[in-house]
Amino acid sequence: MEDATVLDFEFEAHPNPVSAEVLAETLANPGFGKALTDHMVVIRYSDEKGWHRPTVEPHAPILINPACAVLHYAQEIFEGLKAYRLPDGGAALFRPEANARRFNDSAERMAMPKMPEELFLASLEEMVKADQGWIPEIEGGSLYLRPFMFASETFLGVKPASEFTYMVIASPAGAYFKGAESVTLWASEHYTRAAPGGTGAAKCGGNYAASLVAQAEAIREGCHQVVFLDAAERRWVEELGGMNVMFVFEDGSIQTPPLGGTILPGITRDSLLTLARDAGITVREERYGIDQWKADAESGKLREAFACGTAAVVTSIGKVRGRDFEFTIGNQGPGLVAQKLKSDLVAIQRGRAPDPHGWVKRLF
Ligand code: PLP
Ligand code: COI
């Protein structure tokens, strides 16, 4: 077996990279997920050869057979993390080992091969080195990295594939919710995201496919994001379409739904809980009902609620709407606790504050 703990990536430079003018224009206003960088990482896997032939090559469309397994049975997983420019001009990733672990947890759930952690980390480093000129210098700018793996075997039988392709693509990123000081959520009553025993804790494309109709409903209702309730009782708050959720109470304590297999174990979630505990804040990982959320928001017992994730960082929730209710939170603007946690987190991520937990991985 060729197994590529082989960390020697073959490099093929893009023959026609984007021009300096277009790049400058793109980086001045990157948005989220629109522009893609010049290169991509590709690593192949087969049961016979293991992981092999890691390359950095020009970003380009790929050719797959219409019978490619992922197109039929959605055996696909992904990750999302950001590369940040450091004050001295270097670049760093934030807790990439945690993404490597979650990627392998997702792989296990989806009957896919695990990737050696050092190969996953090397792939990110190669990607950032190749396209470091794409890290936006604007406030809040970063290079969003999207590692993913899909079943690339050409075969229509329903079984775990024996061939997979792993890739990393990158996209310059600014704010996910552009121009929004706080967001409005749509509480989905009809659709749920994940059931006990399902794939809710895996970062697989299928979870997002299943969430899109609810997210579309949220947009139609004039909301930014959908918030899902649990599949069994349709009562407990789980998470948003692409973020975890946290609540701040009048006594200063913070609560967030527990990890129980139906929500994504967010790395931002874990980091904020750690920072909050460091600051002496009482933190609870406990279920919170939508009725209680409404009652606490109305009584003032709940002071803040916010969304957290790699793309959204920390974004306050101003209002929640459902089929027959609507309530607002605090003054509907950014909450003080959310702002403080966000600035503490961002300062560590960008190398502007000490890093007591060793979260920042300098690449160069
Ligand atoms: N929940 C969902 C459904 C997500 O897509 C994300 C984003 O990746 C998160 C939570 C937050 O996870 P993280 O903080 O690791 O980005
Ligand atoms: C991320 O934050 O990395 C996600 O995958 C969420 C999505 C909204 C882009």
Side-chain angles (χ1 to χ4, degrees):
M1 195 180 270
E2 203 173 321
D3 213 278
T5 357
V6 184
L7 299 176
D8 284 338
F9 284 68
E10 202 178 293
F11 182 74
E12 185 195 338
H14 200 297
N16 188 19
V18 72
S19 71
E21 294 78 35
V22 172
L23 182 58
E25 209 175 295
T26 304
L27 298 186
N29 186 15
F32 185 88
K34 290 187 298 185
L36 295 159
T37 66
D38 286 325
H39 295 91
M40 62 188 192
V41 165
V42 188
I43 312 177
R44 292 87 183 160
Y45 176 92
S46 70
D47 281 353
E48 297 90 67
K49 289 189 180 172
W51 292 104
H52 61 283
R53 206 149 59 86
T55 58
V56 180
E57 50 191 78
H59 183 106
I62 53 172
L63 205 59
I64 51 174
N65 191 291
C68 183
V70 69
L71 299 180
H72 302 271
Y73 311 123
Q75 208 184 1
E76 189 268 357
I77 59 172
F78 67 97
E79 271 302 324
L81 73 166
K82 287 171 169 173
Y84 303 93
R85 184 68 77 191
L86 296 170
D88 66 4
L93 298 174
F94 183 71
R95 305 186 70 184
E97 302 85 0
N99 294 94
R101 278 195 296 276
R102 189 170 65 188
F103 192 68
N104 279 334
D105 290 344
S106 300
E108 191 165 25
R109 178 62 183 84
M110 301 300 287
M112 297 167 88
K114 291 192 180 184
M115 172 173 265
E117 188 170 314
E118 55 179 345
L119 184 58
F120 182 86
L121 296 177
S123 74
L124 303 177
E125 186 166 345
E126 293 291 331
M127 186 68 239
V128 178
K129 279 190 178 150
D131 285 338
Q132 59 160 299
W134 286 79
I135 305 177
E137 302 289 346
I138 55 168
E139 184 58 34
S142 62
L143 185 63
Y144 182 78
L145 305 178
R146 172 54 63 86
F148 61 104
M149 181 194 349
F150 61 92
S152 43
E153 186 179 358
T154 300
F155 179 65
L156 290 180
V158 182
K159 59 144 192 124
S162 62
E163 285 169 30
F164 294 86
T165 302
Y166 167 87
M167 304 180 77
V168 188
I169 54 174
S171 173
Y176 190 76
F177 297 111
K178 196 161 189 267
E181 287 236 296
S182 67
V183 291
T184 301
L185 303 185
W186 174 252
S188 178
E189 279 160 47
H190 186 65
Y191 301 109
T192 61
R193 178 180 174 275
T199 58
K203 205 160 166 63
C204 60
N207 286 344
Y208 295 80
S211 78
L212 294 177
V213 66
Q215 177 62 24
E217 189 176 79
I219 300 291
R220 251 195 335 271
E221 294 289 341
C223 301
H224 295 88
Q225 272 275 307
V226 57
V227 54
F228 287 107
L229 304 178
D230 77 290
E233 296 180 58
R234 307 287 180 111
R235 173 177 173 206
W236 306 106
V237 178
E238 297 239 292
E239 64 178 326
L240 315 191
M243 293 131 221
N244 293 116
V245 60
M246 293 199 182
F247 307 97
V248 184
F249 294 90
E250 61 186 350
D251 64 359
S253 64
I254 293 180
Q255 186 164 332
T256 195
L259 303 179
T262 57
I263 68 171
L264 194 78
I267 295 160
T268 316
R269 173 189 181 280
D270 183 73
S271 306
L272 293 175
L273 292 180
T274 303
L275 292 179
R277 286 191 185 105
D278 288 353
I281 295 172
T282 301
V283 165
R284 289 182 301 278
E285 295 178 67
E286 283 171 20
R287 299 197 297 184
Y288 194 49
I290 182 84
D291 288 347
Q292 195 64 47
W293 188 359
K294 180 168 179 286
D296 291 346
E298 284 168 354
S299 73
K301 186 175 172 213
L302 181 80
R303 290 286 157 84
E304 301 178 30
F306 58 87
C308 59
T310 297
V313 195
V314 173
T315 304
S316 287
I317 298 162
K319 196 190 279 188
V320 183
R321 295 186 41 223
R323 184 81 48 217
D324 52 14
F325 66 87
E326 175 171 319
F327 60 89
T328 57
I329 299 156
N331 63 5
Q332 294 192 59
L336 288 177
V337 174
Q339 280 179 291
K340 168 83 171 89
L341 285 172
K342 179 180 179 177
S343 70
D344 288 353
L345 178 69
V346 167
I348 297 172
Q349 288 171 330
R350 294 176 182 275
R352 296 177 192 149
D355 174 25
H357 298 284
W359 285 338
V360 175
K361 184 175 164 53
R362 177 186 277 274
L363 298 178
F364 50 83

